[in-house]
Amino acid sequence: MLESLLRGDLRLFLHINGQWHNGVLDVIMPMLREPFMWAPLYLFLALFVTINYGWKGLFWIAFFLITFGVSDQASLFLKEYIGRLRPCRDPIVSHYTRVLVVYCPRSGSFTSNHAANHFALAMFCFLTLKSSFGRYTWLFFLWAAAISYAQVYVGVHYPLDVTGGGVMGAFFGFLSGSFFKRRIKLELKPELTT
């Protein structure tokens, strides 16, 4: 069963990376996975929570960073433990891989840190900011999914890597977000509710 799952994973990777591409996505996808691309979003969230929630906003930022750190370290541990080669490093698969980044990391492939970290943050934001952003809160998951897809598109991860990372990250985000909601909970400052 594992062998058939890995075969399907490779097939899907070859479709995403080698067939389902175009010139516009070839420019967008490598940028999509870069941290500098999302710096304005992180700055906006930090300002939003501190302006609207005062000192609780600072706790939110701390939990946001802790959620990121825990998911990142858990993913690094799994990479080391499992030791799956990245498609851009595999001696056979690399011949069929379009690598759209300047550097193929030497670390393992499963799980994807990008997917783990962004799904952890997406779940945390979804749970803690739902009262502020309402029906638009699901866009955090779209953001995480786009970054995860970009990891496969540029040739540094298999679909199973980003799926595993996404599930694990969402789990950590759920734990962190649920704890934050129970213990701290964001409430608008009195002057903003009138």
Side-chain angles (χ1 to χ4, degrees):
M1 174 156 168
L2 179 62
E3 195 176 310
S4 118
L5 182 65
L6 292 175
R7 267 200 313 269
D9 190 35
L10 176 60
R11 259 195 312 274
L12 184 55
F13 168 78
L14 293 172
H15 280 295
I16 294 170
N17 176 260
Q19 294 177 1
W20 301 339
H21 62 85
N22 63 51
V24 175
L25 291 179
D26 285 357
V27 172
I28 293 172
M29 290 298 176
M31 289 191 317
L32 198 60
R33 56 184 294 282
E34 293 298 329
F36 73 83
M37 178 80 173
W38 300 104
L41 173 64
Y42 304 140
L43 180 61
F44 166 76
L45 289 173
L47 289 172
F48 179 83
V49 295
T50 51
I51 290 168
N52 289 305
Y53 301 108
W55 65 269
K56 286 188 177 184
L58 298 176
F59 279 108
W60 186 91
I61 293 170
F63 268 80
F64 184 89
L65 295 172
I66 289 167
T67 303
F68 176 89
V70 169
S71 69
D72 193 59
Q73 290 305 303
S75 185
L76 286 173
F77 171 78
L78 278 177
K79 279 181 192 220
E80 192 71 28
Y81 181 75
I82 294 172
R84 183 183 195 191
L85 288 174
R86 290 175 183 264
C88 51
R89 291 259 173 224
D90 187 294
I92 297 168
V93 179
S94 64
H95 295 295
Y96 306 98
T97 302
R98 296 170 60 245
V99 182
L100 302 178
V101 291
V102 292
Y103 172 70
C104 178
R106 295 194 177 278
S107 58
S109 195
F110 187 88
T111 58
S112 163
N113 279 59
H114 275 74
N117 298 341
H118 289 92
F119 270 98
L121 296 178
M123 180 63 83
F124 177 74
C125 291
F126 178 80
L127 292 174
T128 59
L129 297 176
K130 200 168 189 175
S131 61
S132 300
F133 295 133
R135 60 190 173 130
Y136 297 106
T137 317
W138 67 269
L139 290 172
F140 286 112
F141 291 112
L142 182 62
W143 161 68
I147 292 169
S148 299
Y149 185 82
Q151 289 294 92
V152 180
Y153 190 95
V154 301
V156 296
H157 278 293
Y158 293 101
L160 205 53
D161 303 336
V162 297
T163 303
V167 169
M168 182 182 71
F171 172 73
F172 286 122
F174 177 79
L175 292 180
S176 176
S178 298
F179 181 84
F180 185 87
K181 273 182 71 174
R182 270 196 320 275
R183 299 292 180 176
I184 299 169
K185 193 172 185 175
L186 294 179
E187 293 166 350
L188 288 174
K189 291 195 275 187
E191 64 270 16
L192 296 175
T193 56
T194 55

